[in-house]
């Protein structure tokens, strides 16, 4: 259940509500989202709480992730990044190299992202690599290169943050904080990105269930940050022909369970550039709000994830396909609406 508070409700009122719950043996969790979450509450108590000062309403929600649930927030959440809305019918395209390499290279790639119709530049500055001997990223210098590419192109930038201590620094340079697959259950990190108030792209842990993933999103929302974007990036299965298995099922399931926008990452989802465009198309057809892909001026030379990186031509073709699919779906929806008789 969620006790919705009147915005800016003071400490005296919130303490009184928490005390009233406690007297009835119930612990309420005060979130930063103008809401107190309670596991469950008998109807007479809910009525009593409803009448207390500072209470806007008591909403019955039977979900382990109430703030993320569709029941709490029936409309789709739109995340605003420098004026671009993520979560509309128009797919958001995020693209860039796996790792930020050099200033010239990131600016060249950023210009291509903009030219091909992309909306956000990606690039890793802190790389959580499976091997300690692989390139770990340029750190703050990489963030500075990304900020310079934003200056050059006007595109917002996204980059991964790997520890809670680094959140204030990374948040200074980027427009969206990426929480990587390996960090999805790093709870102090989730709380820190929640407190930052910045848009957060939360990647699915490669062995995480949809429920575990939504509970991770709930950690961010509970800090009062509503700007959460989910990203399906493939899960580990028994299949070895591809790097991961992009879970298309997750897209409609999430749309049913949550109001948060869902992006797909076919680069990590499948792991081979030849298959990436097909998975991007599948993601959009299944209802994803956008795509995040790895691209490079010369994929064979990319410092990380070279096998799954698209070249500029492949990227341009992918954007055209993704737009064609979403335009076709939008057109059909419009014509279906037009044909529906008004009661
Ligand atoms: C990345 O985006 O380059 C990355 C490391 O992704 P993931 O966390 O999904 O493996
Ligand atoms: Mn990568």
């Amino acid at each position: 259940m969620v006790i919705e508070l009147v915005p800016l409700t003071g400490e005296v009122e919130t303490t009184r509500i928490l005390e009233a719950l406690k007297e009835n043996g119930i612990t309420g969790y005060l979130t930063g989202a103008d809401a107190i979450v309670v596991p469950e509450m008998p109807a007479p108590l809910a009525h009593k709480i409803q009448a207390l000062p500072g209470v806007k309403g008591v909403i019955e929600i039977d979900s382990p992730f109430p703030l993320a649930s569709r029941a709490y927030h029936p409309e789709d959440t739109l995340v605003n990044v420098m004026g671009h809305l993520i979560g509309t019918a128009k797919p958001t395209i995020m693209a860039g190299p796996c790792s930020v390499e050099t200033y010239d290279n990131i600016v060249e790639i950023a210009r291509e992202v903009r030219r091909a119709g992309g909306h956000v530049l990606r690039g890793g500055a802190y790389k959580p690599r499976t091997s300690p001997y692989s390139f770990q990223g340029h750190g703050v210098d990489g963030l500075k290169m990304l900020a310079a590419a934003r200056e050059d192109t006007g595109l917002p930038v996204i980059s991964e943050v790997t520890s809670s201590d680094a959140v204030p620094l990374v948040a200074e340079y980027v427009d969206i904080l990426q929480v990587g697959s390996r960090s999805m259950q790093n709870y102090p990190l989730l709380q820190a990105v929640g407190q930052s108030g910045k848009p957060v792209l939360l990647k699915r842990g490669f062995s995480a269930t949809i429920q575990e993933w939504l509970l991770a999103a709930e950690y961010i929302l509970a800090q009062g940050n509503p700007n959460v974007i989910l990203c399906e990036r493939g899960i580990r299965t028994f299949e070895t022909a591809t790097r991961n298995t992009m879970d298309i099922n997750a897209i409609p399931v999430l749309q049913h369970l949550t109001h948060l926008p869902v992006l797909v990452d076919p680069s990590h989802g499948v792991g081979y550039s030849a298959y990436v465009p097909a998975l991007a198309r599948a993601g959009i057809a299944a209802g994803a709000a956008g795509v995040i892909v790895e691209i490079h001026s010369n994929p064979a030379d990319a410092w990380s994830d070279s096998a799954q990186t698209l070249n500029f031509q492949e990227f341009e073709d992918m954007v055209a396909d993704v737009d064609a699919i979403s335009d076709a779906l939008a057109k059909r929806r419009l014509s279906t609406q037009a044909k529906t008789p008004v009661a």
Side-chain angles (χ1 to χ4, degrees), residues 210-221:
I210 290 173
Q211 175 154 324
E212 286 163 341
W213 188 11
L214 286 170
L215 284 166
E218 187 81 5
Y219 265 86
I220 303 171
L221 298 172

Side-chain angles (χ1 to χ4, degrees), residues 231-297:
C231 176
E232 165 58 46
R233 52 77 71 203
I235 52 174
R236 183 166 284 180
T237 68
F238 54 81
E239 183 55 71
T240 55
T242 53
R243 182 179 179 186
N244 291 296
T245 297
M246 202 174 92
D247 181 12
I248 301 284
N249 297 2
I251 302 161
V253 172
L254 287 168
Q255 282 182 325
H256 176 67
L257 293 176
T258 184
H259 51 89
L260 299 172
V262 186
L263 259 55
V264 288
D265 171 351
S267 307
H268 296 85
V270 68
Y272 296 97
S273 60
Y275 310 140
V276 167
L279 270 298
R281 297 195 296 271
I284 295 301
V291 177
I292 177 166
V293 276
E294 291 181 339
I295 70 166
H296 197 279
S297 43

Side-chain angles (χ1 to χ4, degrees), residues 147-220:
R150 173 182 49 212
E151 185 79 9
D152 185 87
T153 57
L155 288 178
V157 298
I158 176 170
S159 198
E160 179 165 353
V161 55
T162 50
S163 77
S164 51
D165 295 348
V167 169
L169 174 77
V170 180
E172 235 182 82
Y173 289 96
V174 307
D175 306 293
I176 307 174
L177 294 165
Q178 177 174 323
V179 173
S181 185
R182 290 157 192 79
S183 303
M184 191 206 81
Q185 284 179 313
N186 179 340
Y187 299 117
L189 174 61
L190 298 175
Q191 285 170 327
V193 296
Q195 282 157 17
S196 79
K198 282 249 164 185
V200 178
L201 180 98
L202 177 63
K203 288 194 148 195
R204 180 182 188 171
F206 52 75
S207 296
T209 64
I210 290 173
Q211 175 154 324
E212 286 163 341
W213 188 11
L214 286 170
L215 284 166
E218 187 81 5
Y219 265 86
I220 303 171

Side-chain angles (χ1 to χ4, degrees), residues 98 122 127 243 268 294 305 308:
C98 179
R122 64 146 287 152
K127 298 301 304 175
R243 182 179 179 186
H268 296 85
E294 291 181 339
D305 282 348
Q308 66 193 29

